[in-house]
Amino acid sequence: MEPILLYGSPAGSSLGLVAAFEWLGRPYRLCRVDMLGEMRHPSYARINARHETPVLVTDIGHPLSETMAIAAWLEARDTQRRISFDPLSQEADRMHQLMAYVNTGFTGAFSPLWTAMELADPDPVYQAALRRAGREAVIERHDKLEAMIEQMPYLVGDRPTLADALFVGVARWLDIHEVTDRERWPRLSALRRRLEADPAVAYATALEEGRDAPPSNACLGHVSLADVIERFGP
């Protein structure tokens, strides 16, 4: 069977993994998950007990959660090295370093901002404290990533890789939370513009937003969440 990627909407970090599947070019299917509704339903625990996206149902029908684990699954199948590098190369080391940074501290810095936004019964003082802490953390993490990357078209060289996939799914959160002007970081801003113009990222964005997307040479269509839970949930 083809793998099935469960991706979150709205504004899920999993957008980048949809782009990675497109860059890879291997057949796959998608399952759109409403993170504000479906993902919180008790039945979703049969696919991921932590009620999170993304989840990949692998080609042997095994649900695999966690972004880094899914990225490793993709890397192992990237035999033509379209989105990765020789595992013994310096480029692979660099890609893994940037992936780890983006998936941990960079992504985690947004947590207070999401908490402030999603509070069921907001306390203005607590909300303001969360937003202040979140903004400071996000700016500090952007400062560090800006210093880490080099003058290259993409994070590791002249083509998008798994590192760019992890970055592009999270980078737009800077705008969603209105932290500060993205142009504060010239290298990151240029990278974002380049990735946002990429056909695979544009395809993933259109799907996430529920708009008509251009045809894909790799995606074989969507599967409903109910069907995924029924077929692959224990």
Side-chain angles (χ1 to χ4, degrees):
M1 59 170 276
E2 299 84 21
I4 304 169
L5 178 67
L6 282 69
Y7 69 100
S9 177
S13 62
S14 45
L15 175 141
L17 290 174
V18 178
F21 265 100
E22 287 293 303
W23 291 330
L24 186 62
R26 293 169 59 109
Y28 73 102
R29 297 184 186 274
L30 288 169
C31 175
R32 180 186 175 92
V33 179
D34 175 7
M35 295 189 294
L36 303 179
E38 294 172 313
M39 192 177 75
R40 300 178 181 181
H41 193 275
S43 65
Y44 189 80
R46 294 173 58 188
I47 293 296
N48 185 346
R50 289 173 299 288
H51 292 268
E52 297 174 348
T53 57
V55 177
L56 178 70
V57 178
T58 69
D59 49 2
I60 59 172
H62 173 66
L64 178 66
S65 65
E66 310 305 327
T67 296
M68 289 294 284
I70 296 170
W73 188 94
L74 286 167
E75 183 178 5
R77 287 152 182 80
D78 182 22
T79 55
Q80 296 181 338
R81 298 300 170 206
R82 293 182 175 180
I83 56 173
S84 64
F85 303 94
D86 183 319
L88 299 181
S89 67
Q90 290 184 344
E91 290 85 358
D93 292 341
R94 178 66 169 164
M95 184 185 76
H96 294 147
Q97 176 192 22
L98 289 164
M99 289 169 64
Y101 179 80
V102 168
N103 192 60
T104 55
F106 188 85
T107 299
F110 288 94
S111 294
L113 297 172
W114 284 118
T115 300
M117 179 180 286
E118 296 170 1
L119 286 173
D121 187 18
D123 173 350
V125 175
Y126 179 48
Q127 218 170 16
L130 285 171
R131 287 172 176 158
R132 182 170 59 252
R135 288 191 181 104
E136 290 173 357
V138 166
I139 289 170
E140 184 261 348
R141 290 294 172 170
H142 275 72
D143 286 344
K144 289 187 174 178
L145 185 56
E146 177 83 358
M148 288 171 67
I149 64 176
E150 301 172 6
Q151 293 285 7
M152 297 180 179
Y154 297 95
L155 284 176
V156 191
D158 59 0
R159 58 183 171 87
T161 66
L162 286 164
D164 300 283
L166 269 59
F167 172 73
V168 76
V170 176
R172 68 240 179 97
W173 295 353
L174 181 77
D175 309 326
I176 291 172
H177 293 288
E178 300 179 338
V179 175
T180 190
D181 187 351
R182 61 193 276 181
E183 297 302 327
R184 174 173 177 155
W185 301 282
R187 293 181 184 178
L188 291 175
S189 182
L191 173 61
R192 284 186 59 183
R193 286 193 296 272
R194 196 170 292 115
L195 287 169
E196 288 162 359
D198 182 275
V201 175
Y203 174 79
T205 303
L207 291 179
E208 183 192 76
E209 295 177 352
R211 296 185 282 108
D212 291 337
S216 165
N217 293 324
C219 183
L220 301 181
H222 277 70
V223 181
S224 75
L225 179 58
D227 285 347
V228 171
I229 293 172
E230 180 64 28
R231 290 178 60 195
F232 304 107

